[in-house]
């Protein structure tokens, strides 16, 4: 896949949305959709209605054949309450959706109800607080927050929804300085499966608030609005280091050593593409001026440099790129906690094509939060590894075999990132939630005892 990291990430995102997840149980026959239509009107879209197919198709088109029984275009919390009441009574699969980016297609339950939150996307910024509708996508969030002179660490792909990103953690190009997206969550409005609209914060229903910060989308309810703490927008320096084919092993080894000594202000990613002569790409963001970054870049192997000073908003637009069409793919992840030899990575990718491993640096502010302070458990990671392969010229089963081989061949441990959710991840509960799993399960049982929001990888 001959693309640089920024272009590649326009399709993959540093953090994926897919706020809600679908249930694994079968729907009952002939739900009384007329009952829900009385409450939602034409905003309840059934398969026979105009626009159904356009609304239905997910970003990962490997799941384009899925057909939900209905899509509810919600514009207020009461609509979400109506949907959960209906799904609970009718015992049908239900899932929330903000950006359509669920890697496993869990936001598109077969024969179920999609609670589409795109109509709840308002962003209001006042001082150091941003109120963000759960259906907002990242570029409009950045435009509003950055336009007000503030900053929020979040993902890159412009069409990713804020909902799934924040609920799973939220990796950012300024994350080593400012932390995860979920670290900035002050409060949330959430409809729990009993139909109750709740406000949660450190002081109101603190267990649920804790779970929403890294516990994954779709496990506890449907968030309708987030309130985030923001910081004054910094000036940034964006860079890319380009290297020739065949340099991947040495570059990746050097990158790991480099980032282990990096200051908080420096975030970087390293992409290693599949192929017989693998091409590496290193890029990143420095919080501060170019003159302070250049001595740090001198510590990496020499390559062709591109370095540009930008405002926060300019940098977020740069990483957001274009919207890009959806396409079929399979992805998985590992969290690195020790050095992985570059030669191993190259060997895993040598006989493959149309894929890459995208490594994102951790550490800094991310690692100074205790592992149990939020539900996000990977505070001691040095980097995340996103394994991503296209399925244009392979079957889904073939692509999954390739991804699994690369994932497990890294020998980087058994943990992974829930926002890169993989339906075939071994021991996924422990991989995604680690030592926080038991507490998360208790919260899920408390707020969803009847498993209204159950899905194959739900708590």
């Amino acid at each position: 896949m001959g693309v640089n990291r920024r272009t590649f990430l326009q399709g993959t995102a540093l953090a994926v949305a897919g706020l809600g997840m679908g249930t694994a149980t079968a729907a009952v026959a002939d739900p009384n959709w007329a009952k829900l239509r009385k409450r939602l009107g034409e905003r309840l879209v059934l398969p026979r209605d105009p626009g159904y197919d356009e609304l239905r198709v997910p970003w990962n088109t490997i799941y384009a054949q899925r057909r939900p029984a209905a899509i509810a275009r919600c514009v207020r919390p009461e609509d979400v309450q109506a949907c959960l009441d209906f799904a609970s009574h009718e015992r049908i699969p239900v899932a929330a959706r903000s950006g359509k980016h669920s890697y496993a297609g869990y936001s598109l339950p077969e024969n179920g109800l999609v609670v589409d939150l795109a109509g709840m996307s308002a962003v209001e910024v006042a001082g150091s607080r941003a109120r963000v509708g759960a259906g907002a996508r990242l570029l409009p969030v950045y435009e509003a927050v950055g336009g007000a002179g503030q900053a929020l660490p979040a993902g890159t792909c412009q069409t990713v929804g804020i909902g799934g990103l924040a609920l799973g953690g939220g990796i950012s190009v300024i994350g080593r300085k400012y932390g995860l997206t979920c670290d900035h969550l002050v409060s949330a409005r959430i409809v729990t499966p009993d139909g109750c609209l709740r406000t949660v914060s450190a002081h109101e229903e603190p267990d649920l608030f804790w779970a929403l910060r890294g516990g994954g989308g779709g496990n506890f309810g449907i968030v309708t609005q987030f309130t985030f703490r923001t910081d004054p927008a910094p000036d940034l320096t964006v860079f890319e280091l380009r290297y020739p084919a065949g340099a991947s092993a040495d570059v990746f080894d050097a990158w790991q050593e480099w980032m282990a000594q990096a200051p908080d202000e420096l975030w970087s990613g390293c992409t290693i593409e599949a192929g017989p002569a693998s091409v590496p790409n290193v890029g990143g963001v420095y919080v501060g001026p170019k003159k302070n970054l250049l001595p740090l870049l001198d510590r990496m192997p020499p390559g062709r440099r591109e370095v540009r000073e930008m405002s926060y908003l300019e940098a977020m637009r740069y990483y957001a790129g274009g919207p890009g069409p959806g396409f079929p793919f399979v992805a998985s992840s590992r969290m690195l906690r020790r050095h992985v030899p570059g030669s191993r990575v190259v060997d895993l990718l040598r006989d493959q094509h149309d894929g890459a491993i995208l490594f994102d640096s951790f550490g800094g502010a991310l690692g100074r939060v205790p592992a149990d302070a939020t539900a996000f458990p990977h505070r001691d990671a040095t980097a995340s590894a996103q394994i991503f392969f296209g399925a244009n010229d392979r079957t889904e089963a073939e692509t999954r075999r390739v991804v699994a081989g690369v994932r497990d061949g890294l020998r980087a441990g058994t943990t992974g990132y829930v926002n890169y959710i993989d339906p075939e991840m071994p021991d996924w509960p422990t991989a995604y939630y680690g030592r926080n799993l038991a507490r998360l399960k208790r919260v899920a049982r408390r707020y969803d005892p009847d498993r209204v929001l159950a899905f194959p990888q739900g708590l």
Side-chain angles (χ1 to χ4, degrees):
M1 185 178 295
V3 294
N4 64 32
R5 179 181 179 83
R6 183 173 72 93
T7 303
F8 196 92
L9 284 175
Q10 289 170 15
T12 62
L14 288 174
V16 66
L19 170 60
M21 310 298 187
T23 176
T25 58
V28 298
D30 300 324
N32 184 9
W33 294 112
K35 180 179 178 182
L36 186 58
R37 176 153 273 172
K38 285 182 180 178
R39 301 182 69 173
L40 299 182
E42 294 183 354
R43 288 184 287 107
L44 181 67
V45 181
L46 301 176
R48 63 177 179 271
D49 294 331
Y52 169 82
D53 279 321
E54 182 179 354
L55 278 174
R56 175 184 63 84
V57 176
W59 187 69
N60 184 357
T61 57
I62 208 166
Y63 302 109
Q65 78 284 357
R66 288 193 185 171
R67 296 183 63 82
I71 302 171
R73 306 181 69 173
C74 299
V75 297
R76 56 185 182 174
E78 291 82 359
D79 296 340
V80 178
Q81 289 175 296
C83 289
L84 284 180
D85 286 343
F86 182 83
S88 178
H89 181 267
E90 298 285 344
R91 301 305 302 166
I92 62 168
V94 60
R97 184 178 73 182
S98 56
K100 297 187 176 183
H101 279 252
S102 172
Y103 274 17
Y106 290 140
S107 58
L108 192 70
E110 184 76 18
N111 296 319
L113 173 62
V114 175
V115 182
D116 189 288
L117 302 171
M120 303 173 69
S121 59
V123 183
E124 300 174 0
V125 184
S128 62
R129 295 290 185 269
R131 288 195 299 272
V132 183
R137 297 185 177 188
L138 290 187
L139 186 57
V141 172
Y142 286 137
E143 293 288 350
V145 173
Q150 295 295 109
L152 176 70
T156 54
C157 178
Q158 67 168 265
T159 57
V160 160
I162 190 67
L165 180 134
L167 294 173
I171 302 172
S172 168
V173 299
I174 57 173
R176 281 174 47 86
K177 178 67 174 178
Y178 294 99
L180 298 169
T181 309
C182 71
D183 295 335
H184 287 248
L185 186 62
V186 174
S187 66
R189 297 279 278 168
I190 180 173
V191 179
T192 45
D194 60 1
C196 181
L197 177 62
R198 306 170 188 265
T199 299
V200 300
S201 68
H203 306 291
E204 300 175 272
E205 309 205 49
D207 280 350
L208 182 53
F209 179 65
W210 172 86
L212 294 183
R213 290 175 294 155
N219 283 314
F220 315 103
I222 298 177
V223 174
T224 61
Q225 185 183 75
F226 300 91
T227 299
F228 295 105
R229 171 182 57 83
T230 61
D231 294 288
D235 289 328
L236 304 173
T237 304
V238 175
F239 67 91
E240 282 197 56
L241 305 177
R242 298 183 181 275
Y243 297 97
S248 292
D250 291 340
V251 168
F252 183 56
D253 284 336
W255 178 80
Q256 292 178 87
E257 296 174 6
W258 183 53
M259 289 310 304
Q261 306 299 322
D264 290 5
E265 288 77 12
L266 178 63
W267 171 89
S268 180
C270 181
T271 298
I272 309 297
E273 295 184 22
S278 180
V279 178
N281 179 264
V282 173
V285 171
Y286 181 79
V287 181
K290 177 179 178 179
K291 66 178 183 178
N292 293 350
L293 170 64
L294 293 179
L296 297 173
L297 296 183
D298 290 338
R299 301 175 188 175
M300 277 291 286
R304 184 161 62 88
R305 294 181 182 178
E306 296 181 11
V307 182
R308 295 173 57 193
E309 292 183 326
M310 299 183 184
S311 69
Y312 165 80
L313 183 53
E314 288 172 334
M316 296 307 103
R317 288 170 176 162
Y318 170 83
Y319 270 99
F327 60 97
F329 66 88
V330 171
S332 191
S333 63
R334 286 297 187 207
M335 308 301 293
L336 277 58
R337 287 174 169 80
R338 60 180 181 273
H339 187 98
V340 173
S343 58
R344 182 184 303 162
V345 174
V346 171
D347 287 345
L348 288 169
L349 297 176
R350 179 174 288 114
D351 296 327
Q352 306 300 338
H353 68 281
D354 193 21
I357 307 177
L358 292 77
F359 297 94
D360 293 300
S361 58
F362 272 49
L366 298 176
R368 285 193 287 274
V369 177
D372 60 355
T374 68
F376 184 86
H378 309 298
R379 299 293 181 170
D380 60 341
T382 59
S384 65
Q386 180 180 187
I387 302 101
F388 195 100
F389 279 82
N392 282 302
D393 61 353
R394 286 179 285 237
T395 67
E396 178 181 353
E398 290 170 340
T399 312
R400 291 200 180 282
R401 283 194 292 271
V402 171
V403 167
V406 174
R407 178 195 66 212
D408 299 337
L410 283 174
R411 300 202 296 276
T414 59
T415 56
Y417 181 33
V418 71
N419 277 355
Y420 303 147
I421 199 162
D422 172 4
E424 296 186 354
M425 173 69 80
D427 189 20
W428 63 265
T430 303
Y432 294 139
Y433 304 117
R435 290 177 294 175
N436 292 332
L437 177 62
R439 184 177 175 186
L440 283 166
K441 284 185 173 180
R442 290 195 297 270
V443 176
R445 283 195 297 270
R446 177 182 173 187
Y447 288 95
D448 190 10
D450 297 325
R451 293 181 56 79
V452 175
L453 292 167
F455 65 100
Q457 289 178 293
L459 294 170

